[in-house]
Amino acid sequence: MAIIQFPKDMKWGTATASYQIEGAVNEDGRGPSIWDTFSHAPGNVKNGDNGDIACDSYHRYEEDIEIMKDLGIDVYRFSVAWPRIFPTGDGEVNPKGLEFYHKFVDKLLEAGIEPMCTLYHWDLPQALQDKGGWDNRETIDAFVRYAETMFKEFSGKIKFWITLNEPWCVSYLSNYIGAHAPGYQDLQLATNIAHHLLVAHGRTVQKFRELNMEGEIGFAPNTTWLEPFSDKQEDVDACNREIAYFIEWFMDPVFKGEYPQFMVDWFKKKGVEVKIEEGDLEDIHQPIDFLGINYYTGHIARYKENEGLFDWEMVENGYERTDIGWPVYHEGFYNVLKRITDSYGKVPIYITENGSCYNDEPVDGRVKDDRRTKYLKQHLTALSRSIESGVNIKGYLTWSLLDNFEWAEGYSKRFGIVYVNYRTQERIKKDSFYWYKQTISNGFFEFE
Ligand code: BGC
């Protein structure tokens, strides 16, 4: 048996995102987002699901905050729906949208929970998409204006800000792979978007400093780890490219003010270039206060010529998989954190997402999701190892508080530590909830 212990001042939390939980898509002046459009178009989301109602958290947030209080978390990461604040992206402010988040944030503060606010978790106002979305540099200006509005409005209340959630998903998953809104398949387009997102991030950080905001700001890229099947250079290089697609491609510009050359060369081979305008790299290269890291999965891979974008194939090695099919690979979590620290120094890191999809259903009112608890134990052990090795971990937030709208998978995939019955909206705390609660209150857990 081992005791896995965490620093006393480490913050514990959970995370969600607006479109995945709020519902109320037509209420109080909210404008349509690209996810409304995408999910309502046939064939994009499993079972034709959409976020119209989701967990109805727009109306049930008080109940959700009671659940958080019971869990004992220090910090709650949520996202603001940009189209509630600016229904057309860059026109008039919608006071009702601001009012909702004020009520919500006030309740959180009353409960003694620190709000961590993500400004962009994928619900781009449709009106901006109609003008080219993130491919159009005007969207950058609209984003900075929206961020500025939020900063001024919530000054003194919200002290942790995240500009972007998972810029890789916003760019490549949504515009090259085409699995998420708006659903394009164009590598050059996706690369333009990746770059514009970084510029938007950097200019937002500048705005935050200019306004002399109290608090901290960062961004939250998603990461993965591919372990080379062998020591052969071609295996090592292939894995390195895929890891860099998530880490260095988005973090080098922020921390070093440049793109990694080997990746620029690789993209060039694929006929794609990063279109950098004067001043962009300086804008992106702004000191941030913390880095948010999202990590779910990784695996073993080897070189395979002309396979996918980066010439590799996955090697099946019998790893356990979660119910969404992702291998459970906790060593990868440690490796990602080490790699980031080795490359960029001891940046303060919040794990802004880590969790698993298991679709256990309630039996006699109880959800026995032992596999989720095991996943949490394994990943928290990897986290604790990383801390021992000098990674500067400030907090850990699990994804997710609630089962919710899992994007292209609709409601068919459950990531919550709280079960949601989508018919009645009843919430049931799963076994993993109670385990997490105990761990938060102890600051350690035992691993047999
Ligand atoms: C996203 C979440 C999503 C989760 C599980 C992350 O990619 O930020 O919104 O639900 O992973 O797929």
Side-chain angles (χ1 to χ4, degrees):
M1 189 164 63
I3 296 207
I4 308 295
Q5 184 124 26
F6 297 92
K8 289 252 164 332
D9 57 354
M10 188 173 107
K11 296 216 186 333
W12 297 91
T14 58
T16 60
S18 46
Y19 191 71
Q20 295 182 275
I21 65 163
E22 284 180 357
V25 290
N26 293 317
E27 262 172 76
D28 294 337
R30 176 188 180 276
S33 80
I34 54 173
W35 269 96
D36 298 284
T37 311
F38 187 77
S39 63
H40 280 268
N44 287 333
V45 175
K46 200 175 272 179
N47 303 321
D49 290 343
N50 58 57
D52 287 4
I53 299 171
C55 306
D56 194 32
S57 291
Y58 192 78
H59 302 115
R60 293 169 198 261
Y61 67 90
E62 289 177 274
E63 181 185 347
D64 293 344
I65 293 173
E66 279 307 311
I67 294 173
M68 296 178 212
K69 253 167 85 177
D70 178 29
L71 182 58
I73 51 174
D74 306 300
V75 46
Y76 177 62
R77 175 178 177 230
F78 67 102
S79 81
V80 169
W82 181 353
R84 287 198 196 280
I85 310 300
F86 288 99
T88 56
D90 58 0
E92 293 292 305
V93 175
N94 172 29
K96 289 241 177 227
L98 291 172
E99 198 183 303
F100 167 72
Y101 290 108
H102 271 297
K103 282 190 301 194
F104 170 72
V105 167
D106 289 347
K107 266 274 168 253
L108 268 185
L109 291 171
E110 236 175 80
I113 299 167
E114 185 86 60
M116 181 183 268
C117 174
T118 308
L119 288 165
Y120 189 71
H121 203 129
W122 309 355
D123 35 9
L124 184 72
Q126 180 61 42
L128 293 182
Q129 184 62 47
D130 295 343
K131 293 190 270 178
W134 285 109
D135 190 34
N136 180 348
R137 292 179 74 106
E138 282 174 21
T139 298
I140 301 173
D141 303 330
F143 180 74
V144 177
R145 183 166 164 238
Y146 151 60
E148 180 176 1
T149 306
M150 292 300 296
F151 292 156
K152 288 182 173 159
E153 191 70 32
F154 290 88
S155 159
K157 281 191 187 180
I158 300 179
K159 307 224 172 100
F160 288 89
W161 297 90
I162 291 172
T163 53
L164 307 171
N165 180 65
E166 303 193 346
W168 179 87
C169 291
V170 181
S171 49
Y172 294 99
L173 184 64
S174 308
N175 293 277
Y176 167 53
I177 298 169
H180 280 188
Y184 295 119
Q185 295 186 340
D186 178 336
L187 188 57
Q188 181 62 59
L189 172 71
T191 304
N192 298 345
I193 289 175
H195 181 66
H196 292 164
L197 287 166
L198 286 173
V199 175
H201 158 79
R203 292 198 188 152
T204 304
V205 174
Q206 283 175 322
K207 184 58 75 183
F208 189 78
R209 306 290 179 221
E210 214 178 283
L211 293 171
N212 231 330
M213 293 289 300
E214 181 194 351
E216 301 187 9
I217 190 161
F219 79 137
N222 49 317
T223 58
T224 188
W225 188 262
L226 263 71
E227 190 65 24
F229 183 66
S230 79
D231 287 344
K232 275 198 232 155
Q233 201 56 44
E234 59 186 20
D235 286 352
V236 173
D237 290 347
C239 289
N240 195 41
R241 283 190 291 273
E242 181 71 14
I243 295 171
Y245 190 26
F246 295 85
I247 298 185
E248 283 78 6
W249 193 244
F250 291 95
M251 296 187 204
D252 273 15
V254 170
F255 289 114
K256 299 181 171 170
E258 63 191 20
Y259 280 95
Q261 193 55 46
F262 75 101
M263 291 292 283
V264 171
D265 296 343
W266 188 269
F267 274 113
K268 211 176 199 165
K269 252 179 46 182
K270 303 278 169 185
V272 164
E273 57 167 339
V274 195
K275 296 179 186 154
I276 304 173
E277 291 190 8
E278 211 189 314
D280 281 357
L281 289 171
E282 290 75 14
D283 281 349
I284 298 170
H285 186 205
Q286 301 299 318
I288 54 175
D289 302 306
F290 68 91
L291 181 61
I293 290 296
N294 296 356
Y295 178 88
Y296 288 90
T297 186
H299 46 89
I300 293 181
R302 68 179 157 211
Y303 174 73
K304 186 170 182 204
E305 203 181 348
N306 293 329
E307 182 77 15
L309 185 51
F310 294 112
D311 290 11
W312 59 268
E313 66 173 0
M314 188 163 163
V315 181
E316 193 45 72
N317 70 339
Y319 279 175
E320 268 176 49
R321 285 173 185 259
T322 61
D323 287 346
I324 198 169
W326 302 348
V328 177
Y329 194 45
H330 40 97
E331 294 90 346
F333 190 27
Y334 172 84
N335 294 337
V336 158
L337 295 169
K338 275 290 290 167
R339 177 168 168 138
I340 290 169
T341 302
D342 292 346
S343 307
Y344 309 117
K346 281 172 163 281
V347 219
I349 294 177
Y350 282 86
I351 306 306
T352 35
E353 285 181 35
N354 170 245
S356 54
C357 168
Y358 288 112
N359 286 339
D360 304 285
E361 289 286 323
V363 177
D364 297 331
R366 175 172 173 197
V367 184
K368 288 172 98 173
D369 59 337
D370 299 346
R371 294 175 299 169
R372 178 172 289 102
T373 303
K374 183 172 169 200
Y375 178 101
L376 285 171
K377 284 183 177 175
Q378 290 171 326
H379 286 78
L380 280 166
T381 303
L383 187 73
S384 160
R385 283 179 61 213
S386 81
I387 297 172
E388 293 292 315
S389 311
V391 177
N392 189 4
I393 298 292
K394 294 289 182 196
Y396 174 87
L397 288 77
T398 198
W399 184 273
S400 178
L401 176 71
L402 305 171
D403 292 336
N404 57 47
F405 177 74
E406 179 49 31
W407 307 113
E409 300 291 335
Y411 298 102
S412 71
K413 299 286 183 281
R414 295 178 177 274
F415 277 83
I417 57 172
V418 175
Y419 181 90
V420 176
N421 178 327
Y422 295 114
R423 206 169 29 81
T424 61
Q425 292 296 345
E426 187 195 359
R427 275 89 162 125
I428 303 172
K429 293 164 188 163
K430 302 183 188 179
D431 282 6
S432 60
F433 175 99
Y434 294 104
W435 179 84
Y436 193 46
K437 174 177 170 164
Q438 188 69 50
T439 300
I440 293 173
S441 118
N442 292 344
F444 69 85
F445 67 88
E446 287 176 5
F447 206 174
E448 325 66 55

